[in-house]
Amino acid sequence: MRETLTLTRPDDWHVHLRQGAMLGLAAAHTAARFGRAAVMPNLSPPVETVARALDYRAEIMAALPAGAEFNPMMSLYLTDHTAPDEVAAAARCAHIIAYKLYPAGTTTHSEAGVTRIAPVMPALEAMAGHGVVLQVHAEVRDPQVDVFDREAVFIEQVLEPLHRELPELKIVVEHVTTEQGVDFVRHSGDHVAATVTAHHLLFNRNQMFRGGLRPHAYCLPVAKRERHRVALVEAATSGDRSFFLGTDSAPHRRRDKESACGCAGIYSAHAAVELYAEIFESAGALDRLEGFAGHYGADFYGLERNRGRLTLEKKARRVAPAYALGGGDEVVPLRAGETLTWSVLPPGH
Ligand code: DOR
Ligand code: ZN
């Protein structure tokens, strides 16, 4: 008998769609699975203003396959100079849902990010006042801090004090990777949540060193020890409404990953919901996938849940070894050349 699973159409609350050929690929994969997505603003130059976000949104809409029903929800890039007036304009625009805080120097295109909390306090107060969500890349940039400790240190030194000082500000700890992150979110009430990626649920840091150095398993924040992965699976599958789906799917060209200084980022948009289904199934929690993937994120952002549905079938599918971008470039996806246990059925199947 066919085994299927029908869900409220999910949303991806953290995705990198990029531009150009990469955008065509990522937008098609994302729109085939999700009703909406929170689109990250770390382009070069970054998406700092409402006007720029609307231009970028138009680029995304133009790149979608014909007939796709997908609503890109834009994040703006917070800088030391973000004006409270711009925050107010963002709050008035239905296509913008958040500001993203990148501590300067922590990840891809974060150079223009935030150096300290003090200069952004007026913007954060404006966000709290207007109900605009703050999405945080929760890592310190201090090179003296061990790379595996950067999230825990950021939570203790930056997020806990910020949440105490501005409890009405809605904060999402993006791509949470540690027990400490999970504990902070669990114990911080309704205004603090986290997105959890499929790759941080699937593997621990050993994956990067399995038989050699594996650049395609490298992302930021970097995967941690097994006990942290277990804490993430427990949080995501527990039914706690503070944890919801955000893939952090972040494509890079193969040559930029397989390089002496390889870029951080894992491409998972081609199999996102399928991978979460696999994870929830192994945890014996398939019945909790719908809340995590389609309800809690929308509720946190104060948006209506999607009306549409998405059906998965328990049917093996082989992942392509790579996706061509043209000009000889390609993107190597998560699980390249391997087999997935769940498949997404096309609409109207
Ligand atoms: O692995 C990552 N890739 N982490 C980030 O924070 C940024 C992202 C990207 O844009 O490549
Ligand atoms: Zn990201």
Side-chain angles (χ1 to χ4, degrees):
M1 210 186 74
R2 273 174 89 192
E3 189 184 340
T4 60
L5 177 67
T6 297
L7 307 168
T8 301
R9 193 168 182 81
D11 297 311
D12 181 351
W13 294 108
H14 184 132
V15 72
H16 299 267
L17 294 181
R18 315 293 198 208
Q19 290 179 289
M22 206 107 80
L23 169 59
L25 179 74
H29 283 151
T30 295
R33 291 164 178 77
F34 297 103
R36 294 168 290 198
V39 180
M40 291 299 125
N42 62 334
L43 305 182
S44 180
V47 180
E48 283 182 45
T49 60
V50 173
R52 180 92 200 291
L54 294 178
D55 286 348
Y56 181 32
R57 188 172 184 279
E59 272 177 55
I60 296 167
M61 297 306 283
L64 289 173
E69 282 187 29
F70 174 67
N71 185 0
M73 312 291 289
M74 312 307 288
S75 294
L76 295 185
Y77 192 106
L78 187 69
T79 76
D80 285 359
H81 313 289
T82 299
D85 281 355
E86 193 68 31
V87 175
R92 287 192 298 271
C93 177
H95 297 306
I96 295 174
I97 53 161
Y99 267 88
K100 175 74 184 278
L101 187 164
Y102 288 102
T106 46
T107 188
T108 310
H109 298 147
S110 64
E111 303 78 19
V114 169
T115 57
R116 284 171 307 115
I117 290 296
V120 291
M121 226 29 212
L124 297 181
E125 283 164 0
M127 291 171 59
H130 291 289
V132 176
V133 170
L134 178 70
Q135 302 167 328
V136 184
H137 183 107
E139 286 195 291
V140 290
R141 63 180 166 144
D142 183 352
Q144 301 298 322
V145 177
D146 189 282
V147 67
F148 295 103
D149 296 335
R150 287 180 192 170
E151 180 175 296
V153 171
F154 187 91
I155 284 167
E156 191 186 319
Q157 295 186 349
V158 182
L159 276 191
E160 285 178 353
L162 174 62
H163 176 56
R164 269 199 303 275
E165 193 170 340
L166 214 50
E168 39 325 350
L169 177 64
K170 284 186 157 187
I171 298 175
V172 183
V173 178
E174 295 298 335
H175 38 54
V176 64
T177 63
T178 57
E179 274 177 349
Q180 290 92 333
V182 166
D183 284 349
F184 170 64
V185 171
R186 262 205 193 115
H187 298 122
S188 297
D190 288 352
H191 286 178
V192 177
T195 52
V196 193
T197 76
H199 47 274
H200 290 113
L201 292 168
L202 284 169
F203 48 73
N204 63 35
R205 63 192 193 175
N206 287 348
Q207 188 75 8
M208 282 179 297
F209 308 105
R210 202 167 40 85
L213 194 56
R214 305 248 175 194
H216 297 290
Y218 173 59
C219 63
L220 285 170
V222 72
K224 309 294 192 298
R225 287 178 180 278
E226 177 63 5
R227 73 181 156 84
H228 295 288
R229 188 193 70 82
V230 170
L232 299 179
V233 172
E234 213 282 306
T237 61
S238 67
D240 182 333
R241 309 163 61 84
S242 301
F243 297 91
F244 46 81
L245 189 158
T247 61
D248 197 19
S249 172
H252 289 276
R253 294 177 301 192
R254 179 199 279 274
R255 61 186 156 110
D256 295 330
K257 296 280 298 168
E258 298 175 6
S259 128
C261 186
C263 293
I266 293 176
Y267 186 65
S268 60
H270 65 295
V273 184
E274 299 91 310
L275 289 168
Y276 285 105
E278 194 177 308
I279 294 154
F280 275 66
E281 186 178 36
S282 346
L286 256 192
D287 57 327
R288 295 192 173 147
L289 178 60
E290 183 171 41
F292 174 82
H295 296 168
Y296 308 152
D299 297 351
F300 184 83
Y301 278 97
L303 298 167
E304 267 187 52
R305 295 176 181 178
N306 290 323
R307 301 234 173 88
R309 320 283 286 162
L310 180 79
T311 301
L312 300 173
E313 184 180 5
K314 188 83 178 281
K315 185 170 152 222
R317 172 168 75 90
R318 215 173 116 80
V319 176
Y323 292 104
L325 295 172
D329 279 318
E330 52 186 23
V331 170
V332 177
L334 181 56
R335 290 270 178 87
E338 294 175 36
T339 302
L340 304 171
T341 53
W342 289 87
S343 300
V344 163
L345 293 183
H349 51 87

